[in-house]
Amino acid sequence: MQEERVIRAGVKRPGIDRYNAIIRAAEAIITEERSIAELSIQSVARRARIPRVSVYYFFPSVNSLVETLYKRGVERMATEFLGEPQSETTQLWPSFVESLMDQTRSHYEKNPVTMILAFSPASLTLLNQAHQHYGKELAHTLAHFTGDQVSGRLIRSCEIASEIADCVWRKSFMEHQIILPSFHQQAKSAVLAYLKSVIG
Amino acid sequence: MASKKGSARAPTRRPGIDRYDKVLGAAEEIILENESLDGLTLQAIAAKAKVPRVSLYYFFPSIDAVIEALYQRILTRLISELSQSFTEPDKDWKKVMTRLMAEVRSHYRRNTVTTVLALTPPSPKMINEAHIVYGEAVASMLVAISGVPESKNLKMGCEIAAEIGTTIFRKSYLEKGTITDSYLAEALNAVIAYLDTVISPKKVAKVK
């Protein structure tokens, strides 16, 4: 999905190829450095072997590039894990949330770019919006389990739950460069304890 | 303070201490005026503090070193204020946490610089380090005031609880411009529910 701040997306074949080359180059840089510190329009252009001006054509700033990468990651995750549960499910919501968190953790492990972007925020506003998006999806999925209406309160609580998980995972990432099982366990405890206090 | 490369060099003699404080004071003024870290540069600080830029560089090799030193300062201020107002023993740790978090919110409200630095931090590394220090302080308060048994789990639990509290405060600040009552209530909920799993693990259904 394109947002207004990303001025353009490639629409014709050569444009699409270049756009994808830029994204791939940026992801390669982040993966190698395990941080976004080295990401610049220049380093991306060099890596993708395309003129800087073409990078600027799609991304007016490095922030808009980070934003695009991050949104791609979050949206991929939200569509991969959330949505209506299979009708035959007899799962209760807490075990659903647990397995969701397990999946998210392994998704982060398999997609270091998403993890690094989520844990080294270039823009707090961006992170805040990502959790709003994710929280809303989660609220709708949880409502299927509990049979409750999707209320504003539930949505906000799910946004908060999503922030809680990330802040515990981030702590592990900052201190150990990966999400350790012990931190993952604490993240699950924290999210479940909080959601139980909300959903009951 | 850590004397690793790139960090601030702490002064040891009187004129140095005065200059150092003047520099940090000027930095705080700039943050206060802008209500953000935008516009905080070594040049702006030198001008505001009326200190030659050379002596600014002597203490602070970069703007990050200034921010790091400010971070230490606000954290020390917050912790000392909290430990002064929490001295009476109270067996009910949940009540203590509730008061503590209300106190932290009121501290934020009275100290714009703290709010800006803590809730719109420039680096995740600083948040992480600050919460380790703060978590440790909270853990020893719970031990001293409520008689919660001291343990490694408690210390780690308090570090995590501190991160959770700040995360929810930050969400409120970003969306509402202040820490609202309802977000304070959510933060309390989240922190107490989580700490309960750390302090009284038996009460909670075992997580698979």
Side-chain angles (χ1 to χ4, degrees):
Chain A
M1 195 194 310
Q2 293 311 311
E3 294 293 326
E4 52 193 23
R5 255 195 284 169
V6 176
I7 306 264
R8 302 165 177 115
V11 281
K12 283 192 278 183
R13 183 94 311 256
I16 295 171
D17 287 347
R18 281 207 160 166
Y19 184 86
N20 289 337
I22 294 168
I23 299 280
R24 273 199 309 274
E27 290 185 338
I29 293 171
I30 296 172
T31 310
E32 275 164 28
E33 300 292 328
R34 294 198 65 81
S35 118
I36 58 169
E38 299 302 316
L39 200 68
S40 65
I41 297 291
Q42 197 166 0
S43 67
V44 171
R46 206 182 306 127
R47 180 79 178 216
R49 289 164 201 263
I50 58 176
R52 250 202 289 176
V53 67
S54 319
V55 181
Y56 280 119
Y57 175 82
F58 295 114
F59 303 102
S61 67
V62 71
N63 280 343
S64 65
L65 176 59
V66 167
E67 194 166 327
T68 304
L69 289 172
Y70 188 57
K71 286 206 167 122
R72 272 165 63 104
V74 171
E75 270 157 27
R76 211 182 293 153
M77 219 151 66
T79 39
E80 197 175 315
F81 304 148
L82 296 169
E84 290 192 24
Q86 271 104 44
S87 48
E88 72 266 26
T89 185
T90 51
Q91 244 183 345
L92 294 172
W93 72 262
S95 56
F96 168 76
V97 170
E98 276 194 57
S99 63
L100 186 65
M101 289 180 70
D102 291 339
Q103 282 175 288
T104 307
R105 177 186 174 218
S106 67
H107 182 93
Y108 275 147
E109 278 170 358
K110 278 179 265 153
N111 299 274
V113 174
T114 309
M115 175 163 80
I116 293 159
L117 287 170
F119 297 155
S120 6
S123 146
L124 290 166
T125 322
L126 184 59
L127 266 193
N128 178 262
Q129 285 164 359
H131 285 296
Q132 288 190 19
H133 175 83
Y134 197 78
K136 203 168 174 183
E137 300 275 332
L138 178 61
H140 282 91
T141 307
L142 279 187
H144 279 284
F145 282 93
T146 60
D148 290 336
Q149 291 291 321
V150 179
S151 63
R153 171 91 207 281
L154 181 65
I155 291 176
R156 196 179 65 176
S157 299
C158 288
E159 293 171 8
I160 290 174
S162 165
E163 297 253 15
I164 291 173
D166 259 6
C167 90
V168 182
W169 285 330
R170 179 181 298 118
K171 182 169 169 63
S172 183
F173 179 74
M174 296 303 301
E175 294 172 13
H176 307 280
Q177 285 75 53
I178 55 163
I179 301 172
L180 289 179
S182 59
F183 277 91
H184 185 52
Q185 195 59 44
Q186 295 303 305
K188 287 206 257 183
S189 293
V191 167
L192 285 182
Y194 169 67
L195 282 178
K196 277 176 185 159
S197 80
V198 175
I199 299 176
Chain B
M1 197 178 302
S3 59
K4 58 181 183 284
K5 199 166 164 265
S7 290
R9 183 191 310 201
T12 47
R13 284 189 287 175
R14 180 97 316 259
I17 294 173
D18 288 345
R19 279 212 164 154
Y20 185 88
D21 284 345
K22 222 160 111 185
V23 168
L24 290 185
E28 288 201 15
E29 268 181 59
I30 293 170
I31 296 174
L32 195 59
E33 279 164 20
N34 300 333
E35 287 195 30
S36 100
L37 291 176
D38 300 342
L40 189 70
T41 60
L42 286 177
Q43 198 164 359
I45 295 169
K48 177 74 101 191
K50 301 202 171 81
V51 165
R53 260 205 276 173
V54 194
S55 57
L56 183 57
Y57 286 126
Y58 175 82
F59 293 122
F60 303 102
S62 67
I63 193 67
D64 285 342
V66 177
I67 294 174
E68 208 179 308
L70 279 178
Y71 230 92
Q72 305 267 3
R73 219 156 90 131
I74 58 157
L75 189 65
T76 313
R77 215 182 276 158
L78 173 67
I79 291 173
S80 81
E81 193 182 300
L82 289 178
S83 47
Q84 272 163 26
S85 46
F86 287 83
T87 48
E88 288 291 296
D90 186 339
K91 281 256 172 298
D92 187 350
W93 67 265
K94 293 182 187 175
K95 239 167 69 195
V96 173
M97 273 316 290
T98 307
R99 269 178 52 216
L100 189 79
M101 289 182 66
E103 202 59 51
V104 172
R105 175 174 80 153
S106 106
H107 184 91
Y108 278 148
R109 285 188 166 175
R110 279 176 281 119
N111 298 275
T112 309
V113 176
T114 306
T115 306
V116 169
L117 283 168
L119 301 185
T120 61
S123 104
K125 188 171 153 278
M126 279 184 216
I127 322 180
N128 178 255
E129 286 169 358
H131 284 99
I132 292 175
V133 175
Y134 180 70
E136 200 163 342
V138 172
S140 34
M141 263 185 248
L142 291 182
V143 170
I145 294 172
S146 306
V148 174
E150 204 168 351
S151 72
K152 241 178 92 187
N153 281 354
L154 178 69
K155 198 186 147 277
M156 175 56 78
C158 287
E159 289 176 21
I160 291 176
E163 296 262 9
I164 293 173
T166 305
T167 293
I168 299 173
F169 282 174
R170 176 177 304 124
K171 181 170 169 62
S172 181
Y173 181 69
L174 290 175
E175 291 174 16
K176 315 281 178 194
T178 178
I179 301 163
T180 63
D181 290 345
S182 72
Y183 273 102
L184 173 63
E186 295 291 356
L188 271 172
N189 243 347
V191 164
I192 289 177
Y194 167 66
L195 274 182
D196 208 20
T197 71
V198 176
I199 294 174
S200 347
K202 279 174 217 106
K203 272 193 230 156
V204 185
K206 206 167 172 291
V207 185
K208 275 189 294 214

